[in-house]
Amino acid sequence: VFYDARGSAIYEEITDLAVYYPTRAETEALLQHADAMVDALGDGRPVSVVELGAGTALKSVILLRALHARGATTFVPVDVSPTALSLACERVAREVPGVQVHAIVSAHEPALAALPPHDGQRLLLFLGSSIGNYEDPAAIALLRHMRHAMRAGDALLLGTDLRKDIPTLLAAYDDPQGVTARFNLNALVRINRELGGHFEVGRFRHQALWNEEASRIEMHLMSLGRQQVRIDALDLVCTFEDGETIHTENSIKYDTAHVDRLLEPAGLVRQASFHDAGHRVAVHLIRPG
Ligand SMILES: C[S@@+](CC[C@H](N)C(=O)[O-])C[C@H]1O[C@@H](n2cnc3c(N)ncnc32)[C@H](O)[C@@H]1O
């Protein structure tokens, strides 16, 4: 719901925010460990890198560079946002020339089911702690789809955000410049445009909160006053009480045991985990079980 062209552009702004540590931390982990990851991965065959929710491939190029230095590498970025994907294609052509790119505009599951057969090694990438947007049963279901797209010798690199002090977490999702607020509120702008919604965006306020039991940051949009909103395409009228919220997104924060609890039922095994210096995030190297 967030990633129309405007949502993708606002997300890029978020990744530049001083308080938004996840992108910087994952970049650091990849820069520091790309060679070790590629050493652990590589079996000498050409590599086909399939990245789910690739966005603009900001961090992917770090791995692509390390892989390309050792042998033939192709890149298949998958994303629902065509705007993000065209920027990804430009970036890879500019920064890692020689890597063939074949972009797929699609949601994750249909893209995984329709990947062309490959002779070499397939490396799935799922970075940016995107897995944390899925509650555990949905995360396991998505990991199963990934498993089905893998054969012996293939691998998955999975980025996860880690549990940490609550003020740092909250600040990352509620910046003083209001960029994340704009990102969240853009969901209403999009419903207005695409579904004939009648949301007055100024009558909702962005809210980020920590849910300890579920180990997640939740993003909400809180109704300022009692209001009714019509959505023409759904023939629906929603009533919001003052202070009632629309729960728009979750971002689960993991520890290693939690990651393993997702992998095991999906038939996957964690081989190694790589971190940034501050251990804020992890990138796990995962194999078919
Ligand atoms: C949080 S951004 C992460 C981008 C990039 N992987 C990174 O780490 O910076 C999530 C990306 O996933 C895409 N996306 C969200 N849901 C998706 C889905 N169900 N299928 C495919 N792409 C999706 C969005 O368009 C967006 O580019």
Side-chain angles (χ1 to χ4, degrees), residues 180-214:
T180 308
R182 257 196 291 133
F183 179 75
N184 198 4
L185 287 161
N186 184 54
L188 303 184
V189 176
R190 189 173 184 194
I191 292 170
N192 284 350
R193 189 182 59 245
E194 295 184 19
L195 295 176
H198 296 273
F199 283 99
E200 284 181 53
V201 176
R203 296 196 65 198
F204 286 84
R205 189 166 66 216
H206 167 70
Q207 189 187 47
L209 54 87
W210 173 247
N211 178 333
E212 172 63 32
E213 200 187 2

Side-chain angles (χ1 to χ4, degrees), residues 3 11 26 51 53-55 59 79-81 106-108 127-128 130 134:
Y3 293 98
Y11 180 74
E26 198 174 62
E51 179 165 18
K59 289 167 283 175
D79 205 291
V80 286
S81 166
S106 167
H108 308 312
L127 298 176
S130 293
Y134 295 80

Side-chain angles (χ1 to χ4, degrees), residues 255-284:
D255 55 26
T256 310
H258 191 167
V259 173
D260 290 342
R261 284 202 302 279
L262 301 179
L263 297 177
E264 199 267 333
L268 294 164
V269 178
R270 192 169 50 84
Q271 180 182 325
S273 296
F274 302 89
H275 299 88
D276 58 308
H279 275 241
R280 291 170 293 177
V281 303
V283 178
H284 310 280

Side-chain angles (χ1 to χ4, degrees), residues 4 7 19 35 39 66 74 86 90 103 106 113 121 151 155 162 167-169 173 177 204 215 218 245 249 256 276:
D4 60 353
V19 288
D35 286 330
D39 282 344
T74 56
S86 74
E90 282 170 26
S106 167
Q121 186 180 28
R151 294 188 305 210
L162 300 178
T168 300
L169 287 171
Y173 293 85
Q177 295 95 319
F204 286 84
S215 192
E218 296 178 0
T245 72
E249 194 180 53
T256 310
D276 58 308

Side-chain angles (χ1 to χ4, degrees), residues 32-51:
Q32 201 172 334
H33 302 294
D35 286 330
M37 289 175 189
V38 171
D39 282 344
L41 267 172
D43 57 11
R45 291 180 294 161
V47 180
S48 171
V49 179
V50 177
E51 179 165 18

